[in-house]
Amino acid sequence: MKKKIFVLLISMLACSGCSAANHETNTVSAVQDTEKQSEMKEAQTSEGEAASDDEAVVEVFAMDTYITIKAYGKNANKAVAQAQERVEELDKQLSTGLAESEVSQLNAKGGGALSDETTYLMKRSLEICESTNGAFNPIMYPIMEAWGFTKKTYQVPEKGLLQQLLTYTDIQQLTFDERQKTVTFGIQGMKLDFGGIAKGYTSAQIMDIFKTYGVESGMVSLGGNVQVLGNKVDGTPWRVGIQNPNTEEEYLGVLEVTDKAVITSGGYERYFEENGTVYHHIIDPATGYPAESGLDSVTIVSTDGTLADGLSTALFVMGLEKAEEYWKSNRESFDAILHTKEGQLYVTEGIADEFSSDFEYSIIK
Ligand code: AMP
Ligand code: MG
């Protein structure tokens, strides 16, 4: 019985969904919502338990989202338990919502010594920041605070305030010493925010844990951001549903993947509405306002979960044309599914054969 439920849960993977304004709702499957709730209940009551000898699943709430971790084969139980521990550790380290987290402490002190994890994240964030021309910016926290995204006290800030706060998001003012593992903020009040990359890093870490335990088939879904190891246990690729940003009732399409991260950024994932205008959580570092690039959903597919997460945010900010250009210069490291507000759907060539959709779509070559 349990086994069937777990398999159901995993066979329909989807990206995160959002139901109402002033809410952040992350679901494993938007389409199977009702079904999902009972599945989740079942999964929660069996936390850490194996569904069978060679299958383990855990459902946790961490990083402000529902996380499903699943592994098959020998050591599946141990691997999943270790993965859960890692998620909880990383949450405590990286969460800006916890005053005692490493990132909060760095922000309070204006920099300082970094752990191995934050050293790695800093390095990767700065690489992505540079290669995306600042579209990905890991020090957007002061702006996130001004919009109330950090405490769910949403408000539209004064333009003057945003202008002022943009001085804190100047990446040139941040000094990172990788060897010494330190970061220094050039202006008091600058603050780190790994929210655009942390989930991808976490899913990548889980794949590493799986590999350490010899697990050959497994997956994690962090609020719909998915990373998979190998194929499903029946030998066929994992199937990942890409959420339609306009409706929870359907997918934009389904992608078949093996050993990949599939990570989506969408304005629908966290937003609020004021006077009929929707303000979402992905900020254009050039303006301090929610990015209005014409894209409403960007999915990145890559073997590198950290990169996929960073790029999902960056390409959302860039918009279609720049995103296309960026892919063309970096096509060996990722693929993308892009959806515009007007409803056009684009898929890059590298995953075109693995993507299926009821919608019309163009292939970027
Ligand atoms: P994601 O869902 O991966 O696109 O990440 C969005 C989160 O990243 C937000 O909730 C912020 O914490 C942070 N963020 C917002 N805008 C940016 C940006 N331009 N670059 C990097 N991180 C950002
Ligand atoms: Mg991201």
Side-chain angles (χ1 to χ4, degrees):
M1 170 67 179
K2 232 183 249 171
K3 187 160 187 168
K4 192 164 166 236
I5 286 163
F6 292 139
V7 170
L8 242 179
L9 181 72
I10 302 310
S11 65
M12 258 336 255
L13 304 175
C15 285
S16 46
C18 187
S19 50
N22 300 338
H23 265 88
E24 184 195 2
T25 316
N26 290 302
T27 58
V28 174
S29 165
V31 171
Q32 294 188 328
D33 222 19
T34 328
E35 206 168 53
K36 194 202 107 243
Q37 277 165 14
S38 55
E39 287 162 11
M40 293 246 292
K41 242 189 215 155
E42 183 80 12
Q44 273 160 2
T45 54
S46 358
E47 235 180 60
E49 250 177 60
S52 75
D53 284 351
D54 57 0
E55 175 185 341
V57 65
V58 72
E59 189 87 24
V60 267
F61 189 85
M63 301 187 165
D64 228 8
T65 198
Y66 289 100
I67 302 176
T68 306
I69 307 167
K70 169 127 181 159
Y72 286 101
K74 209 169 146 244
N75 290 332
N77 268 318
K78 285 183 192 154
V80 163
Q82 178 75 45
Q84 179 180 1
E85 218 172 276
R86 189 84 186 106
V87 166
E88 286 162 356
E89 263 168 28
L90 286 173
D91 195 12
K92 285 195 190 119
Q93 237 173 326
L94 304 175
S95 169
T96 46
L98 290 176
E100 66 274 19
S101 78
E102 184 188 344
V103 169
S104 295
Q105 288 295 310
L106 288 164
N107 288 344
K109 291 179 187 151
L114 304 174
S115 63
D116 289 347
E117 285 79 13
T118 46
T119 302
Y120 178 76
L121 278 176
M122 200 67 252
K123 178 178 178 238
R124 297 299 310 272
S125 293
L126 292 175
E127 283 166 7
I128 298 171
C129 181
E130 192 179 347
S131 85
T132 62
N133 230 343
F136 181 88
N137 180 326
I139 50 170
M140 293 303 289
Y141 201 70
I143 303 272
M144 296 304 289
E145 280 182 312
W147 285 94
F149 283 114
T150 54
K151 295 209 165 81
K152 299 187 175 143
T153 49
Y154 307 106
Q155 58 183 337
V156 180
E158 293 287 332
K159 205 171 180 173
L161 175 66
L162 286 177
Q163 284 304 319
Q164 208 183 316
L165 292 176
L166 282 176
T167 55
Y168 297 107
T169 64
D170 176 2
I171 205 72
Q172 305 304 330
Q173 296 293 332
L174 181 139
T175 311
F176 170 56
D177 187 330
E178 191 188 343
R179 280 188 54 201
Q180 297 294 323
K181 296 187 189 165
T182 58
V183 71
T184 315
F185 302 151
I187 303 172
Q188 206 185 347
M190 287 171 68
K191 287 177 185 174
L192 291 169
D193 176 8
F194 291 126
I197 199 169
K199 288 185 186 136
Y201 172 66
T202 304
S203 63
Q205 287 276 296
I206 291 172
M207 297 302 111
D208 287 349
I209 290 169
F210 284 178
K211 286 181 208 157
T212 309
Y213 279 93
V215 166
E216 289 173 5
S217 173
M219 61 74 67
V220 58
S221 168
L222 293 102
N225 290 319
V226 172
Q227 188 157 359
V228 304
L229 181 69
N231 284 315
K232 283 193 291 182
V233 80
D234 66 4
T236 62
W238 296 90
R239 290 165 59 77
V240 181
I242 311 299
Q243 172 149 356
N244 187 331
N246 299 317
T247 165
E248 290 182 9
E249 303 305 315
E250 60 188 6
Y251 294 124
L252 287 179
V254 174
L255 187 68
E256 293 195 337
V257 279
T258 307
D259 287 320
K260 292 269 166 64
V262 181
I263 295 190
T264 299
S265 284
Y268 61 88
E269 289 173 328
R270 194 187 299 182
Y271 62 89
F272 69 98
E273 216 172 312
E274 196 174 291
N275 298 329
T277 307
V278 171
Y279 300 95
H280 63 72
H281 69 132
I282 303 170
I283 306 294
D284 183 346
T287 64
Y289 283 86
E292 287 300 333
S293 67
L295 291 174
D296 60 7
S297 168
V298 171
T299 300
I300 304 292
V301 184
S302 173
T303 50
D304 180 344
T306 314
L307 178 78
D309 198 357
L311 289 184
S312 70
T313 311
L315 269 61
F316 187 98
V317 170
M318 284 181 193
L320 183 62
E321 260 177 47
K322 283 190 187 156
E324 256 189 67
E325 256 172 55
Y326 187 87
W327 176 75
K328 284 177 183 168
S329 319
N330 297 277
R331 60 170 77 207
E332 70 296 335
S333 55
F334 77 99
D335 275 286
I337 300 165
L338 310 168
H339 188 258
T340 69
K341 278 187 168 173
E342 276 85 45
Q344 297 144 318
L345 182 59
Y346 297 86
V347 179
T348 59
E349 197 177 12
I351 49 169
D353 289 345
E354 287 78 45
F355 183 73
S356 55
S357 174
D358 291 340
F359 296 99
E360 268 183 39
Y361 60 93
S362 311
I363 298 174
I364 302 175
K365 297 189 172 169

